[in-house]
Amino acid sequence: MQDDVQFTPYDHTRFPAHLPFGRCGYLFTVPGDFPEDTPAHTNVTDWEMAVYRALGEWEVRDVNGIRRVWGTGPSRRKAVGLAFQEIARKRRLEAAEIAAKREAAGLQETPPVYVETTSSVTLVCAPTAIAVLRWIGPVHENPVRYYVHDIDGGDPYEIRADSTVTLRTTKVGVLHNHCGCTPEDAARFEHETAALVYAREALTVCHPCPKNPEDGDEVFTVDGSDYGPYPARRVPDTWGPYEAISVSLATAERIANDLNTLNTGCGLTAEWNGAHLVFTWDRRYRENEGTQTVTPDTEGRYLIGGLWPWMRWADRD
């Protein structure tokens, strides 16, 4: 978003001298619908912002609101980027709190759930081979011939039908739940329970859409901070703050981005190595340097813990 910012220079005539703005700098706008992942009913009016030099750094402050500082940095670009990050964090938090209140009041709309069939394959199971069916020979011939190829490819061959040969169709699909996707030719359900029953009966395998949000059981922050909120799977009563929480890929990306942009200089950083999330720290963070690699589990979720104390969002002061 900050890459599209349009800056308008201002001079000493823009603000009264008693206001905490630089005598000259630049004005820009943060759209009221930023960030895009917040619901439309939580959008606000556009914010006019000012970025200017202050005490050797660049400083960003809102013009028409409480005039708080949203970001500072060694360059205009860095300060504006941090301001966008902080505004996004605050607006996501407010959207989550609004959603919780609407749900408690029975006002939160429940979007439909879709079960999409993404692929289908028929296996020919014989005593000596399991192969993928390509086509069936002329049905007037006896016995019927199944033209197949091995699961890992290779040249086609045939298997003649008899009492020892069976066919099994495998269907693979995707569950779209609160992700905003509306796939064509997908089964539509008003409630998740019905969608899960259909997926279990009609499909062999059903994966969650990568855009699906968490199941919403619990929300976490970093203890002693306002980072987050980060939705995750519910943890047991015996769970401790340095134990891991299970988050989606999208949430893991937010955690890594917040660490690298909002907590720079702490000695702990995060980077992606393919699908693996690698945390690296030096002696500023811990006595001994080290790394921790978080690998997605079979559901594509990330168990992140042991590097800082987590706190349930509901337990914050």
Side-chain angles (χ1 to χ4, degrees):
M1 171 61 72
Q2 57 266 28
D3 293 335
D4 301 326
V5 170
Q6 300 295 319
F7 294 101
T8 302
Y10 73 85
D11 59 22
H12 65 282
T13 63
R14 176 60 178 82
F15 298 106
H18 68 278
L19 293 182
F21 295 95
R23 304 302 294 157
C24 60
Y26 300 87
L27 300 173
F28 66 95
T29 300
V30 176
D33 59 358
F34 172 80
E36 295 180 354
D37 56 4
T38 53
H41 65 266
T42 65
N43 291 349
V44 297
T45 57
D46 294 351
W47 287 6
E48 187 177 24
M49 313 289 291
V51 56
Y52 48 84
R53 297 283 292 178
L55 300 177
E57 288 194 308
W58 288 85
E59 187 173 86
V60 178
R61 195 181 291 266
D62 65 282
V63 172
N64 300 321
I66 59 176
R67 302 192 182 102
R68 63 163 280 189
V69 174
W70 293 92
T72 60
S75 67
R76 186 181 71 175
R77 177 183 176 83
K78 182 69 172 179
V80 171
L82 291 175
F84 270 89
Q85 292 282 348
E86 176 61 11
I87 291 170
R89 186 196 67 80
K90 179 178 183 296
R91 290 182 177 178
R92 287 189 181 108
L93 170 59
E94 291 176 345
E97 292 178 341
I98 291 172
K101 292 177 181 178
R102 288 174 60 86
E103 184 174 1
L107 301 175
Q108 191 74 356
E109 295 182 0
T110 302
V113 182
Y114 295 90
V115 179
E116 177 187 14
T117 301
T118 55
S119 64
S120 178
V121 63
T122 298
L123 301 178
V124 179
C125 304
T128 58
I130 297 178
V132 177
L133 177 66
R134 300 185 65 183
W135 68 86
I136 299 176
V139 294
H140 62 273
E141 293 187 9
N142 192 18
V144 171
R145 289 176 292 175
Y146 301 120
Y147 292 89
V148 301
H149 62 76
D150 288 332
I151 293 177
D152 56 357
D155 296 330
Y157 58 96
E158 66 179 62
I159 295 177
R160 292 181 178 270
D162 60 33
S163 60
T164 66
V165 178
T166 59
L167 302 182
R168 179 181 178 184
T169 299
T170 298
K171 291 185 178 181
V172 178
V174 175
L175 177 71
H176 299 276
N177 189 10
H178 300 280
C179 58
C181 300
T182 56
E184 296 182 1
D185 301 324
R188 183 182 188 275
F189 301 89
E190 296 302 321
H191 302 286
E192 181 181 7
T193 301
L196 293 176
V197 171
Y198 173 83
R200 183 174 65 248
E201 297 298 328
L203 304 176
T204 306
V205 179
C206 188
H207 300 286
C209 175
K211 297 181 180 179
N212 284 354
E214 311 293 339
D215 49 22
D217 282 345
E218 295 203 70
V219 180
F220 293 82
T221 184
V222 178
D223 195 8
S225 79
D226 291 328
Y227 294 162
Y230 304 121
R233 293 269 173 85
R234 182 172 294 278
V235 296
D237 293 338
T238 57
W239 173 86
Y242 280 95
E243 295 183 51
I245 60 174
S246 173
V247 302
S248 69
L249 171 60
T251 300
E253 290 175 337
R254 279 188 56 203
I255 292 171
N257 184 69
D258 287 352
L259 173 63
N260 291 336
T261 59
L262 303 179
N263 208 16
T264 56
C266 71
L268 176 65
T269 58
E271 65 177 350
W272 290 93
N273 180 13
H276 307 285
L277 179 56
V278 182
F279 294 96
T280 304
W281 60 88
D282 57 30
R283 289 189 175 91
R284 290 175 295 173
Y285 194 76
R286 285 184 173 177
E287 183 177 353
N288 296 317
E289 299 177 351
T291 64
Q292 181 186 107
T293 300
V294 181
T295 300
D297 60 19
T298 55
E299 296 182 84
R301 301 180 66 84
Y302 292 78
L303 289 171
I304 299 177
L307 296 173
W308 53 74
W310 289 114
M311 179 179 70
R312 288 181 173 95
W313 188 254
D315 295 337
R316 72 195 190 281
D317 293 332

